[in-house]
Structures are given as C-alpha cells and as structure tokens.
Amino acid sequence: LGAACISPFVVLSYRACRAMETPYLEQWLVPFAIGVVVPVVWRFTNNGQDLCHTLPQVFGPMLIHLPGAEIVWGAMEIMMGSAVHGATRLVKGLMQATQLAFFLAVGWQFFGRNLASSWLAEPLTGDKGAVASLPDSQWCPEPFPASNPDYMTWPFVVGVYNIPLNLLCLANVHIPVRDWAGPFLVGQVGLIVLGFTQFQCTPDTCQFPAIIQNFLAAVAATTVAMIVELVQRLPAPVSVIPVLFIFAPGSSAVLSVL
C-alpha cells in the first residue's frame, strides 16, 4: 500500500523532467520526491512498525537510479585491464549514490522532521534535529516479523511478489517480450537462491556471510543463463543484465552515504 501511494509521485517526477526537457534532473528530483512523500505515507501505513521498514518504500521506486550496475561494470572493467574506464565508472557510481542520498535526505526534512524520535526500535527519546530527522540507514534485523500474516513467508515474497519486479527489469532493458522466458527464469533462480541463503539457512545448517550469499546467487543465475544460451540461443549477458538491477549493490552504496 505504501509503495502504491508513493509511485504516482515518482512518475510525476519523471514526467516533469521530460516535460521540461531536463532528464538529467531525474537524479535529483526523484529522490527528493521520494524523501518528501515516504514520511507522509509512513505515518498513516506503518501499523506500529519500526522505521527500518521505510527502506523498501524508498528503494523500490528508486531502483532504476541506483548505481549498482555502474559499480559492477566498473569493477569488471578494472579486472579486464581497463583501469581508467573502470575507475571512472566507480567514481561515477559513488557520485550518483551521493546525489541520491543527499536529495533523499533533503526531501525527508519536509515531513520526516524528528520522525526517528518516535518510530525507531530504540526511539531517540529527547533527541531532536538532525539526528532524529534523517532517513533510516539500516535494514530491519527481522525481515519477516511475527506480526506478518502466515502466508507472508520468504518463498512467497521472493517467488511471487518479485515476479512483477523481474518483469519490469526485463522491460526496462528493452528485451523483446518473445525472449522474456529465459531471462525471467534466470532472475527467478537467482532470487530464490539468494532468498534461501538469506532466510532459510541457520547457524546450524548453511548460514553464510552476505558476500557469499550474493556469490552463490550470482553463480546460480549465471549458470542458468549459460543453459538459456544453449537452449534459446540468447546470449548469456542479455539474460544476466536484468539480474544486475536486483543484485547489484546500489542500495548499499546509498545507505553507506546516509
């Protein structure tokens, strides 16, 4: 519900930039609009949850602007010997993350002033001003709290809720609909493997550090992409590119700035 309320304002931001023929302002206007709207939506839809639950509402509409793919390609170019091009991409990714975080925080000041003093898991009682008026920068330690409905398990969220996200990523990179089957399968396999390692594994079974979780998911997705290339004759990089929007560390870069 919260994301549905926020999305129209993001679309209006896109359209405003297009109407003014200033598409480069999207990097500023979109996070600013999200920063303005999210605190308002949160006050009416939070149902007593911790402020960390605002992060999905923040990063969902901001997905295509996150610099994750830029960071990944920069690292790949450095590994392939093109240090100048790779370093340039990495610097661009850093600047992009800084811009997103800055304008998100600026927009947050309109209706998110002192929001953290009431809605953090450990409220900043008595703290006002800058400390209590910044967007949260930590993901929730318990992504599936007991207050969720019984059906809201990680297989349902990862396997069903992420289907629209996967399809939108395919459309965003202009893959023809007739070729969606292979890349869609690649994305779903990667998401399910990542979800399993994140939420199903326990310290007694198969718990891994986050970097290993991402590595295993990337290996699984790439393996399926190679199989898709053999069967569908669709180049493996085409199938992997949409996955970058989901796996690439764009949100982590923005949170590190916040």
Side-chain angles (χ1 to χ4, degrees):
L1 176 60
C5 295
I6 296 165
S7 297
F9 294 93
V10 177
V11 173
L12 287 175
S13 301
Y14 289 139
R15 301 307 300 173
C17 292
R18 291 291 187 267
M20 295 185 295
E21 298 183 354
T22 53
Y24 54 87
L25 290 181
E26 285 184 13
Q27 295 287 345
W28 301 351
L29 190 57
V30 169
F32 177 80
I34 293 172
V36 171
V37 177
V38 167
V40 178
V41 173
W42 178 250
R43 293 180 187 274
F44 294 98
T45 64
N46 70 82
N47 196 28
Q49 293 179 325
D50 182 56
L51 193 62
C52 64
H53 288 275
T54 58
L55 290 183
Q57 296 181 2
V58 168
F59 287 116
M62 205 187 293
L63 178 66
I64 63 173
H65 291 287
L66 295 176
E70 201 76 49
I71 295 172
V72 171
W73 289 121
M76 288 180 61
E77 287 187 339
I78 290 177
M79 292 175 61
M80 295 172 65
S82 183
V84 174
H85 291 86
T88 302
R89 285 187 182 274
L90 291 177
V91 172
K92 180 185 176 184
L94 173 62
M95 295 303 298
Q96 189 173 343
T98 303
Q99 288 180 12
L100 293 174
F102 175 77
F103 285 98
L104 174 66
V106 171
W108 198 271
Q109 304 313 305
F110 282 81
F111 300 106
R113 189 75 174 167
N114 298 322
L115 193 65
S117 62
S118 303
W119 295 109
L120 281 181
E122 297 180 1
L124 301 174
T125 306
D127 287 339
K128 304 292 183 180
V131 175
S133 303
L134 291 174
D136 198 8
S137 59
Q138 297 289 334
W139 293 100
C140 296
E142 187 180 2
F144 298 100
S147 58
N148 280 357
D150 293 337
Y151 67 85
M152 193 67 69
T153 60
W154 79 261
F156 181 79
V157 172
V158 173
V160 179
Y161 270 21
N162 275 332
I163 289 177
L165 171 63
N166 197 351
L167 295 176
L168 289 174
C169 287
L170 298 178
N172 186 63
V173 294
H174 306 292
I175 295 178
V177 176
R178 64 177 180 274
D179 295 329
W180 276 14
F184 175 80
L185 181 62
V186 172
Q188 288 299 105
V189 169
L191 287 169
I192 290 173
V193 171
L194 183 62
F196 181 86
T197 56
Q198 284 182 336
F199 307 122
Q200 189 67 33
C201 290
T202 65
D204 298 328
T205 56
C206 56
Q207 191 172 43
F208 301 106
I211 189 171
I212 302 300
Q213 296 172 359
N214 294 332
F215 172 77
L216 293 175
V219 169
T222 305
T223 302
V224 176
M226 300 299 291
I227 297 174
V228 168
E229 182 174 2
L230 292 175
V231 175
Q232 196 176 346
R233 302 299 181 184
L234 188 69
V238 175
S239 299
V240 171
I241 285 175
V243 179
L244 289 179
F245 283 99
I246 305 172
F247 289 169
S251 59
S252 299
V254 175
L255 288 177
S256 65
V257 177
L258 285 173

